[in-house]
Structure formats: structure tokens, C-alpha cells
């Protein structure tokens, strides 16, 4: 998603993140959102000549992306997505399974 944001927003964006993935990827997502917001705030400076609000709804393949931005300076990042639980490489099954029966841990 950040790659698409950078590409379509014409942003020079590089992200390198390390996180506490054992407790869930959402912590890393939150931290990246906070840092991205801080970088955007710094890049916008005094916001002279910039509209405060913006929004877009974009159909993308099999999903619908919606983004609303308020550059007022108040910090908030909301990321709503169904993320699969992170598995260690040793316990990650290979997909697709050869059996026709679904795995009890397979995404549906």
C-alpha cells in the first residue's frame, strides 16, 4: 500500500521497518503510520497554498481503496485491513495444498 501511495502521490518514499512481529504485525503498521505522518507533516511545512482536506475512492483489482486526508496537523492514522496472522517460516504451509480438504489454518 505504501508503494502505491508513493507511486500515485509522486512521493519519494523509502520505508525500512523492524517490529515486534511475534505479537502481531499491527504494531509495525501503527509505527509506520505514525512515522509517515510525522514525515508528511515536516514535508508540508506551513501548508501555504495547500487545501486542508482531500479524499479519493479507487477501485483496484479485487478491492476498493478509500483514503481521506486532513492535513490540519492533528495526528491520527487509521488502517483497516484483514491481515493474516504472521507465521514463522518453519510453520508456514506451502500453498496451494495438494489435498482437496481445506487446512484448519488455511485462509477462507
Amino acid at each position: 500500500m505504501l508503494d502505491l501511495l508513493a507511486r500515485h502521490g509522486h512521493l519519494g518514499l523509502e520505508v525500512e521497518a523492524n517490529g515486534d512481529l511475534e505479537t502481531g504485525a499491527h504494531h509495525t503498521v501503527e509505527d509506520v503510520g505514525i512515522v509517515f505522518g510525522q514525515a508528511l507533516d515536516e514535508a508540508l511545512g506551513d501548508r501555504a497554498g495547500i487545501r486542508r482536506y482531500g479524499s479519493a475512492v479507487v477501485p483496484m483489482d479485487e478491492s476498493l481503496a478509500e483514503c481521506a486526508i486532513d492535513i490540519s496537523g492533528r495526528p491520527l492514522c487509521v488502517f483497516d485491513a484483514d491481515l493474516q496472522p504472521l507465521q514463522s517460516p518453519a510453520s508456514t504451509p506451502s500453498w496451494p495444498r495438494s489435498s482437496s480438504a481445506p487446512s484448519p489454518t488455511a485462509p477462507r
Side-chain angles (χ1 to χ4, degrees), residues 2-3 5-7 10-17 32 35-36 39:
L2 290 172
D3 181 54
L5 176 65
R7 183 176 306 137
H10 304 285
L11 304 172
L13 179 64
E14 280 189 39
V15 175
E16 183 177 326
V32 169
V35 171
F36 178 75

Side-chain angles (χ1 to χ4, degrees), residues 19-66:
D20 182 12
L21 299 177
E22 292 78 29
T23 60
H26 69 279
H27 294 290
T28 304
V29 171
E30 290 167 348
D31 292 344
V32 169
I34 290 167
V35 171
F36 178 75
Q38 290 169 339
L40 185 61
D41 180 50
E42 184 178 320
L44 293 174
D46 67 2
R47 294 164 172 73
I50 300 174
R51 292 186 182 175
R52 178 176 162 181
Y53 302 101
S55 65
V57 177
V58 181
M60 301 172 60
D61 296 328
E62 293 146 4
S63 65
L64 182 65
E66 180 178 12

